[in-house]
Amino acid sequence: TSLALSAWIAVSLFDTLPTSVDEMVQLLHAGSLAGGRLALPLAGPEAAWAVQNGLLTPSGWTSVYPPGHTGLLALGLIAGVPWLVGPIAVGVATAVFALALERLLDGVRVARLAALLVAFSPFWLLLGGTHLSHTSAAAGGALVLWTSLLARDGSAKWGLAVGASIGLFVLARPWVGVVVSTVVVLAVCLPPVLTRVRTRSWGLRRLASTLGGGAPFAFLLLAWNQKLFGHPFSMGYTAAFGPAHGLGLHVGPWGNHYGWLEALAYTGADAVQLSAHLLETP
């Protein structure tokens, strides 16, 4: 249902076109990947390529984005339907959320009602109709939750799936993926150890398999950064806007102050905005 409705929105409302500079730039970079190049060779004056969230490198023009969602868009371009990447990602995320909710909540009816609220959320569906990396990140986050529950209730081998899910999430949106995945995995798997329902070795086995599952994705991200931005730990945004765009409490590239009070204020504003947007009501 989510896939179909998001696809309908992508076609009828957005005409299968990108609607923001983020989507346009990432789609252009995906076109380069689909053509077999990590970066586009510059044609014409360099000033013509000075677009927001784009970057001129020795290899050519590239976007500032990590490889996850860009690679999925490239596959969509090869298949001739890049606009379907968002709806498919949201469809996967909704399905996996539904499965996870049945393990999280008491009662199948409550879980399925909650899943229906996700499936028909206007905010969720409108997001699914875009080319934004939020969609693949949502799928990755949902997979992290579901596989963590499977690892908690089943074999330690499920940790490999947890690690791969974290890898997909991080390749789409690195810092969000790291923070959210850490919180989700600890919230699911730490309580059984702390309450001594499970032993420490039980937790360590799952941690080891999670690291193993995520290692290939980490290597891909580091290699991408090294090739395009000159250092394995240099993200595209930092390469484009300088060290002031990095993490920490400091003044940003545009003179905005980021301290503890600002962190609290921004987080509160984001929470209120998300609450209003999920069902378009306070």
Side-chain angles (χ1 to χ4, degrees):
T1 299
S2 291
L3 192 160
L5 290 174
S6 292
W8 175 73
I9 288 172
V11 173
S12 63
L13 185 61
F14 300 139
D15 200 23
T16 71
L17 298 173
T19 61
S20 66
V21 66
D22 304 67
E23 297 170 78
M24 297 172 194
V25 169
Q26 199 159 14
L27 194 60
L28 180 59
H29 194 185
S32 178
L33 295 182
R37 295 176 179 269
L38 281 179
L40 278 172
L42 294 180
E46 291 188 358
W49 293 87
V51 62
Q52 183 182 351
N53 293 341
L55 180 63
L56 303 179
T57 72
S59 302
W61 179 91
T62 177
S63 74
V64 299
Y65 300 102
H69 190 69
T70 311
L72 292 176
L73 288 175
L75 293 176
L77 284 168
I78 293 171
V81 284
W83 57 272
L84 261 181
V85 171
I88 290 173
V90 162
V92 169
T94 307
V96 174
F97 269 133
L99 294 169
L101 288 169
E102 291 194 6
R103 289 178 176 269
L104 272 176
L105 303 179
D106 294 328
V108 173
R109 290 182 180 180
V110 176
R112 291 181 180 172
L113 175 60
L116 284 172
L117 289 174
V118 173
F120 287 98
S121 164
F123 172 76
W124 187 241
L125 297 174
L126 284 165
L127 191 64
T130 70
H131 296 75
L132 289 167
S133 61
H134 301 62
T135 56
S136 53
L143 285 166
V144 171
L145 174 61
W146 182 49
T147 54
S148 295
L149 290 166
L150 292 174
R152 181 196 67 180
D153 300 336
S155 167
K157 293 179 181 178
W158 279 111
L160 294 170
V162 177
S165 301
I166 293 172
L168 291 170
F169 196 173
V170 169
L171 285 184
R173 299 184 72 84
W175 298 126
V176 175
V178 168
V179 172
V180 172
S181 297
T182 301
V183 171
V184 168
V185 172
L186 290 179
V188 170
C189 295
L190 195 57
V193 177
L194 294 178
T195 56
R196 297 184 179 180
V197 174
R198 300 290 187 180
T199 63
R200 289 184 181 179
S201 61
W202 176 91
L204 290 174
R205 287 196 301 271
R206 279 150 184 78
L207 175 61
S209 58
T210 297
L211 293 175
F217 298 88
F219 176 79
L220 175 59
L221 180 60
L222 296 177
W224 174 274
N225 290 338
Q226 176 66 49
K227 182 66 176 178
L228 291 180
F229 310 126
H231 192 279
F233 295 102
S234 177
M235 296 292 180
Y237 280 108
T238 306
F241 302 115
H245 202 290
L247 297 177
L249 307 178
H250 59 283
V251 178
W254 296 277
N256 298 316
H257 289 265
Y258 295 100
W260 291 114
L261 183 60
E262 288 80 9
L264 179 63
Y266 278 120
T267 303
D270 287 343
V272 171
Q273 187 179 38
L274 177 63
S275 174
H277 282 183
L278 282 176
L279 291 172
E280 300 298 326
T281 170

